[in-house]
Amino acid sequence: MARCNWTTLWAVPVSVAWACATPTGSGSEATSAPTAAEAKAFVDRVDTDLRDLYTDYARAEWIKATYITHDTEILAAKFHDQVLAYQSKVIKEAARFDGLELDADTARKIHILKTMQSLPAPSDAKKRARLTTLAARLESIYGKGKVCEGEDCRDLGQLSKTMAESRDYDELLQAWSGWRTISSPMKPLYEEFVGLANEGAGDIGFPDLGELWRSGYDMKTDAFAYEVERLWNQMSPLYEALHCYVRGKLVEHYGADKVDPKGPIPAHLLGNMWAQEWGNIYPLVAPYPGASNLDVTSALQRKGYDALQMVRLGERFFTSLGMDALPESFYERSQFTQPRDRDVVCHASAWDVTSNNDLRIKMCIRPTEEDLITIHHELGHNYYYNYYHKLPILYQGGAHDGFHEGIGDTLALSVTPGYLKEAGILGEVSRTREALINLQMKEALDKIAFLPFGKLIDEWRWNVFAGETDPESYNQDWWKLRLKYQGIEPPIARPADAFDPGAKYHIPSNVPYTRYFLARVLQFQFHEALCKASGHEGPLYTCSIYGSEEAGNRMKAMLALGMSKPWPEALEAITGQREMDGRALIAYFQPLLSWLEEANQGQTCGW
């Protein structure tokens, strides 16, 4: 359920800059010796300009995402060009103040300004226009993607339903390979896109786009890459144990002729179009079938939950913590369901369109457990926006992007069977050891299975941006990383023109992805701290903070900081710690890890 969200996109704004055509910092200020006072005035003016720019961008992008047409695509590209021109100019102007002794607030704003873009534009106007056209085109190819046999066409939602529900090897293969035909046309566009984006990064002082992305974490870029690897090494033994067990169950179901008992898992058998989360195959791998009723999807459907009711349920969780109710405009302006009369981007996302509490979500909600969890995740973004929307625009973001992704999932950890019973969705819930292992397996199939996928997406892109992976090796190197980290492989030989990375939304839309990996770590760290604040006693996996205003106050203290402080300070505000740590995740899943060690006895693990 890794998703994109509005805050992570505003760093690549698409906006009309008509009112800001005159660059900040022109005239005598640009030629005289700079002063600290001028630096402060500079960031104040940029902050004001960007609020207008991002609002125009958000409105244009919202229309494009909820009404995909030729014209909205062109308009979004034009708006993107305008705002990128403004950003590139002011980022270069900010270099005037390098070496000055500045107050902490001004220095931080200038640092954020320099590192905020995930898509810097080249200075050349024609190249910049081409970059924005490519960005809009790549996302639209994805959004409009359909797989057709004659006049029978299926979109991603329909294909994903097949991936989630079918247990027929060939039917799954058809859906999996069919979706990857939509991304082949992206390959030459993406190659050109990378060259122009790297040129834009170079124009503002970075060797390549990956280096720019890694510079936004309040630490040296090589130290950040090391930090990601350190966290993965903490948690990888749990993933490897899960992989071993799941592979054994798939061998039982599909046969050793389809799944190698000692090799990688075919990528189309894990219940998800990208094999990023495996929860949909829980019925195949349940440790103790029938030990407990954990079928939340059937319960939602049996009770007739619609999209609005599911969103209201999510909101009630946040308000139970003493947090604000969502503004009424949220319900008036959001997209909760898939329209019948037009193409839209169904990929879930959260928005503050005006950066002033104009909160919305964009989803195509179905009455499923997955979408219920997604709603809690997206509302986590909305509540982050809510508590920092009065800050200067340069501070309106997560302490780092993993914070924004992690906060919603933190709340989802409290959507326990006990809570779902209290909410009237589930009936009596078994509390036996067997029921606990079933529940942890179900959670691990999503949260643990996702970890290597969350890491490798940007590792692949960092290599692409740095020139270590050339266009001829795009697909080959993609599958090398998927084998290395996930232990999966393509079920069939890939065509020479395949561009399988483009079949994942975040590649054509250029959304950095390491944030989702970090979020998987942080959500357990946050959860552990909030459970302590709520007074919870007992194992971490039994805790729900629902109804705890003490936990809500701890969370609000962190949310309200936005990006105004380096992330270790924000982490300390909620957890008391200044270092990201995977140990809370391991503690949460300790019962399952012990069980897997026993269950895997006699198996040859690894790949």
Side-chain angles (χ1 to χ4, degrees), residues 353-394:
V353 173
T354 63
S355 302
N356 193 32
N357 224 31
D358 182 6
L359 306 178
R360 310 179 193 184
I361 61 172
K362 174 186 62 59
M363 287 185 66
C364 300
I365 297 171
R366 301 162 299 160
T368 66
E369 179 180 14
E370 180 177 359
D371 280 7
L372 182 64
I373 298 301
T374 299
I375 288 165
H376 282 80
H377 176 98
E378 299 304 338
L379 291 183
H381 291 306
N382 287 131
Y383 274 94
Y384 217 149
Y385 305 149
N386 171 260
Y387 280 97
Y388 65 51
H389 78 271
K390 294 182 180 179
L391 292 177
I393 199 73
L394 288 169

Coordinates of all heavy atoms in Angstrom, one line a residue, residues 353-394:
V353 N -4.7 21.7 -0.8 CA -4.6 22.4 -2.1 C -4.1 23.9 -2.0 O -3.3 24.3 -2.8 CB -6.0 22.4 -2.9 CG1 -5.9 23.2 -4.1 CG2 -6.3 20.9 -3.2
T354 N -4.5 24.5 -0.9 CA -4.1 25.9 -0.8 C -3.0 26.1 0.3 O -2.6 27.2 0.6 CB -5.3 26.8 -0.3 OG1 -5.7 26.4 1.0 CG2 -6.4 26.7 -1.3
S355 N -2.5 25.0 0.8 CA -1.5 25.0 1.9 C -2.1 25.8 3.1 O -1.3 26.5 3.8 CB -0.2 25.6 1.5 OG 0.4 24.9 0.4
N356 N -3.4 25.8 3.2 CA -4.1 26.5 4.2 C -5.3 25.8 4.8 O -6.4 26.3 4.9 CB -4.5 27.9 3.7 CG -4.9 28.9 4.8 OD1 -4.4 28.8 5.9 ND2 -5.9 29.7 4.4
N357 N -5.1 24.5 5.0 CA -6.1 23.6 5.5 C -7.2 23.3 4.5 O -8.3 22.9 4.9 CB -6.7 24.1 6.8 CG -6.8 23.0 7.9 OD1 -6.0 22.1 7.9 ND2 -7.8 23.1 8.7
D358 N -7.0 23.4 3.2 CA -7.9 22.9 2.2 C -7.7 21.4 2.0 O -7.1 21.0 0.9 CB -7.7 23.7 0.9 CG -8.7 23.3 -0.2 OD1 -9.6 22.5 0.1 OD2 -8.6 23.8 -1.3
L359 N -8.1 20.6 2.9 CA -7.7 19.2 3.0 C -8.6 18.4 2.1 O -9.8 18.6 2.0 CB -7.8 18.7 4.4 CG -7.1 19.5 5.5 CD1 -7.3 18.9 6.9 CD2 -5.6 19.5 5.2
R360 N -8.0 17.4 1.4 CA -8.8 16.5 0.5 C -8.0 15.1 0.5 O -6.8 15.1 0.7 CB -8.9 17.0 -0.9 CG -9.4 18.5 -1.0 CD -9.4 18.9 -2.4 NE -9.6 20.4 -2.5 CZ -9.7 21.1 -3.6 NH1 -9.7 20.4 -4.8 NH2 -9.9 22.4 -3.6
I361 N -8.7 14.1 0.1 CA -8.1 12.9 -0.4 C -8.6 12.5 -1.7 O -9.8 12.9 -2.1 CB -8.2 11.7 0.6 CG1 -9.7 11.3 0.8 CG2 -7.5 11.9 1.9 CD1 -9.8 10.0 1.6
K362 N -7.8 11.9 -2.5 CA -8.2 11.4 -3.8 C -8.0 9.9 -3.8 O -6.9 9.4 -3.7 CB -7.4 12.0 -4.9 CG -7.6 11.4 -6.3 CD -6.7 12.0 -7.3 CE -5.2 11.7 -7.0 NZ -4.9 10.2 -7.0
M363 N -9.1 9.1 -3.9 CA -9.1 7.7 -3.9 C -10.3 7.1 -4.7 O -11.2 7.9 -5.1 CB -9.2 7.1 -2.5 CG -8.0 7.3 -1.6 SD -8.3 6.5 0.1 CE -8.4 4.7 -0.4
C364 N -10.2 5.9 -5.0 CA -11.3 5.2 -5.6 C -11.6 4.0 -4.6 O -11.2 2.9 -4.8 CB -11.0 4.6 -7.0 SG -10.5 5.9 -8.2
I365 N -12.3 4.4 -3.5 CA -12.5 3.6 -2.4 C -13.4 2.4 -2.7 O -14.5 2.5 -3.2 CB -13.0 4.4 -1.2 CG1 -12.0 5.5 -0.8 CG2 -13.3 3.5 0.0 CD1 -12.5 6.4 0.2
R366 N -12.9 1.2 -2.2 CA -13.7 0.0 -2.3 C -13.9 -0.5 -0.8 O -13.0 -0.2 0.0 CB -13.1 -1.1 -3.1 CG -12.8 -0.7 -4.6 CD -11.8 -1.6 -5.2 NE -10.5 -1.5 -4.4 CZ -9.6 -2.5 -4.5 NH1 -9.7 -3.6 -5.2 NH2 -8.4 -2.3 -3.8
P367 N -14.9 -1.2 -0.5 CA -15.1 -1.7 0.9 C -14.2 -2.9 1.2 O -14.6 -4.1 1.3 CB -16.6 -2.1 0.9 CG -16.9 -2.5 -0.5 CD -16.1 -1.6 -1.4
T368 N -12.9 -2.6 1.3 CA -11.9 -3.7 1.6 C -11.1 -3.2 2.8 O -10.9 -2.1 3.1 CB -11.0 -3.9 0.4 OG1 -10.2 -2.7 0.2 CG2 -11.8 -4.2 -0.9
E369 N -10.4 -4.2 3.4 CA -9.5 -3.9 4.5 C -8.4 -3.1 4.0 O -7.9 -2.1 4.7 CB -9.0 -5.2 5.1 CG -8.0 -5.0 6.2 CD -7.5 -6.3 6.8 OE1 -7.6 -7.4 6.2 OE2 -6.9 -6.3 7.9
E370 N -7.8 -3.4 2.8 CA -6.7 -2.6 2.3 C -7.1 -1.1 2.2 O -6.3 -0.3 2.6 CB -6.3 -3.1 0.9 CG -5.2 -2.4 0.3 CD -4.7 -3.0 -1.0 OE1 -5.3 -4.0 -1.5 OE2 -3.8 -2.4 -1.6
D371 N -8.3 -0.8 1.7 CA -8.7 0.6 1.5 C -9.0 1.2 2.9 O -8.8 2.4 3.0 CB -9.8 0.7 0.6 CG -9.4 0.6 -0.9 OD1 -8.2 0.3 -1.2 OD2 -10.3 0.8 -1.8
L372 N -9.5 0.4 3.8 CA -9.7 1.0 5.2 C -8.3 1.4 5.8 O -8.2 2.5 6.4 CB -10.4 0.0 6.1 CG -10.7 0.5 7.5 CD1 -11.7 1.6 7.5 CD2 -11.2 -0.7 8.3
I373 N -7.3 0.6 5.6 CA -6.0 1.0 6.1 C -5.4 2.2 5.3 O -4.8 3.1 5.9 CB -5.0 -0.2 6.0 CG1 -5.5 -1.4 6.9 CG2 -3.6 0.2 6.4 CD1 -5.7 -1.1 8.4
T374 N -5.6 2.2 4.0 CA -5.2 3.3 3.2 C -5.8 4.6 3.6 O -5.2 5.6 3.7 CB -5.5 3.0 1.7 OG1 -4.8 1.9 1.3 CG2 -5.0 4.2 0.8
I375 N -7.1 4.6 4.0 CA -7.8 5.8 4.4 C -7.1 6.3 5.7 O -6.9 7.5 5.8 CB -9.3 5.5 4.7 CG1 -10.0 5.3 3.4 CG2 -9.9 6.6 5.5 CD1 -11.4 4.7 3.5
H376 N -6.8 5.4 6.6 CA -6.1 5.9 7.8 C -4.7 6.5 7.5 O -4.3 7.5 8.1 CB -5.9 4.7 8.8 CG -7.1 4.4 9.6 ND1 -8.1 3.6 9.0 CD2 -7.5 4.7 10.8 CE1 -9.1 3.5 9.9 NE2 -8.8 4.1 11.0
H377 N -4.0 5.9 6.5 CA -2.8 6.4 6.1 C -2.9 7.8 5.5 O -2.2 8.8 5.9 CB -2.2 5.5 5.1 CG -0.9 6.0 4.5 ND1 0.4 5.6 4.9 CD2 -0.6 6.8 3.5 CE1 1.3 6.2 4.2 NE2 0.7 6.9 3.3
E378 N -3.8 8.0 4.6 CA -4.0 9.3 3.9 C -4.5 10.3 4.9 O -4.1 11.5 4.8 CB -5.0 9.1 2.7 CG -4.5 8.2 1.6 CD -3.1 8.5 1.1 OE1 -2.6 9.6 1.2 OE2 -2.5 7.6 0.5
L379 N -5.4 10.0 5.8 CA -5.8 11.0 6.8 C -4.6 11.4 7.7 O -4.6 12.5 8.2 CB -7.0 10.4 7.6 CG -8.3 10.2 6.9 CD1 -9.4 9.7 7.9 CD2 -8.8 11.5 6.2
G380 N -3.7 10.5 7.9 CA -2.5 10.9 8.6 C -1.8 12.0 8.0 O -1.3 13.0 8.6
H381 N -1.7 12.0 6.6 CA -1.1 13.1 5.9 C -1.9 14.4 6.1 O -1.4 15.4 6.4 CB -1.1 12.8 4.4 CG -0.1 11.8 4.0 ND1 1.2 11.8 4.3 CD2 -0.3 10.6 3.2 CE1 1.8 10.8 3.8 NE2 1.0 10.0 3.1
N382 N -3.3 14.2 6.0 CA -4.1 15.4 6.2 C -4.0 16.0 7.6 O -4.0 17.2 7.7 CB -5.6 15.0 6.0 CG -5.9 14.7 4.5 OD1 -6.6 13.7 4.2 ND2 -5.6 15.6 3.6
Y383 N -3.9 15.2 8.6 CA -3.7 15.7 9.9 C -2.3 16.4 10.1 O -2.2 17.4 10.9 CB -4.0 14.7 11.0 CG -5.5 14.6 11.3 CD1 -6.3 13.7 10.6 CD2 -6.1 15.5 12.2 CE1 -7.7 13.7 10.9 CE2 -7.4 15.5 12.4 CZ -8.2 14.6 11.8 OH -9.6 14.5 12.0
Y384 N -1.3 15.9 9.4 CA 0.0 16.5 9.5 C -0.2 17.9 8.9 O 0.2 18.9 9.4 CB 1.0 15.7 8.6 CG 2.4 15.7 9.2 CD1 3.2 14.6 9.0 CD2 3.0 16.8 9.9 CE1 4.5 14.5 9.4 CE2 4.3 16.7 10.4 CZ 5.0 15.6 10.1 OH 6.3 15.5 10.6
Y385 N -0.9 18.0 7.7 CA -1.1 19.3 7.1 C -1.9 20.3 8.0 O -1.6 21.4 8.2 CB -2.0 19.2 5.8 CG -1.5 18.3 4.7 CD1 -2.4 17.6 3.9 CD2 -0.1 18.0 4.5 CE1 -2.0 16.7 2.9 CE2 0.3 17.2 3.5 CZ -0.6 16.5 2.7 OH -0.2 15.7 1.7
N386 N -2.9 19.7 8.7 CA -3.7 20.5 9.6 C -2.9 21.1 10.7 O -3.2 22.3 11.0 CB -4.8 19.6 10.1 CG -5.6 20.2 11.2 OD1 -5.4 20.0 12.4 ND2 -6.6 21.1 10.9
Y387 N -2.0 20.4 11.2 CA -1.3 21.0 12.4 C -0.1 21.8 12.0 O 0.4 22.5 12.9 CB -0.9 19.8 13.4 CG -2.1 19.4 14.2 CD1 -2.8 18.3 13.8 CD2 -2.5 20.2 15.3 CE1 -4.0 18.0 14.6 CE2 -3.6 19.9 16.0 CZ -4.3 18.8 15.6 OH -5.5 18.5 16.4
Y388 N 0.4 21.9 10.8 CA 1.4 22.8 10.4 C 1.0 23.8 9.4 O 1.8 24.6 8.9 CB 2.7 22.0 10.0 CG 2.7 21.2 8.7 CD1 2.2 21.7 7.5 CD2 3.2 19.9 8.7 CE1 2.2 21.0 6.3 CE2 3.2 19.2 7.6 CZ 2.7 19.7 6.4 OH 2.8 18.9 5.2
H389 N -0.3 23.9 9.0 CA -0.6 24.8 7.9 C -0.4 26.3 8.2 O -0.4 27.0 7.2 CB -2.1 24.5 7.4 CG -3.1 25.1 8.3 ND1 -3.7 24.5 9.4 CD2 -3.8 26.3 8.2 CE1 -4.6 25.3 9.9 NE2 -4.7 26.4 9.2
K390 N -0.3 26.6 9.4 CA 0.0 28.0 9.7 C 1.5 28.4 9.7 O 1.8 29.6 9.8 CB -0.6 28.4 11.1 CG -2.1 28.3 11.1 CD -2.7 28.7 12.5 CE -4.2 28.6 12.5 NZ -4.8 29.0 13.8
L391 N 2.3 27.4 9.5 CA 3.8 27.7 9.4 C 4.1 28.3 8.0 O 3.3 28.2 7.0 CB 4.6 26.4 9.5 CG 4.6 25.7 10.9 CD1 5.3 24.4 10.8 CD2 5.1 26.6 11.9
P392 N 5.2 29.0 7.9 CA 5.7 29.5 6.6 C 5.7 28.3 5.6 O 6.0 27.1 6.0 CB 7.1 30.0 6.8 CG 7.1 30.4 8.3 CD 6.2 29.4 9.0
I393 N 5.5 28.6 4.3 CA 5.3 27.5 3.3 C 6.6 26.6 3.2 O 6.5 25.4 3.0 CB 5.0 28.1 1.9 CG1 4.4 27.0 1.0 CG2 6.2 28.7 1.3 CD1 3.0 26.6 1.4
L394 N 7.8 27.2 3.5 CA 9.0 26.4 3.4 C 9.1 25.4 4.5 O 9.9 24.5 4.5 CB 10.2 27.3 3.4 CG 10.4 28.1 2.1 CD1 11.5 29.2 2.3 CD2 10.8 27.2 1.0

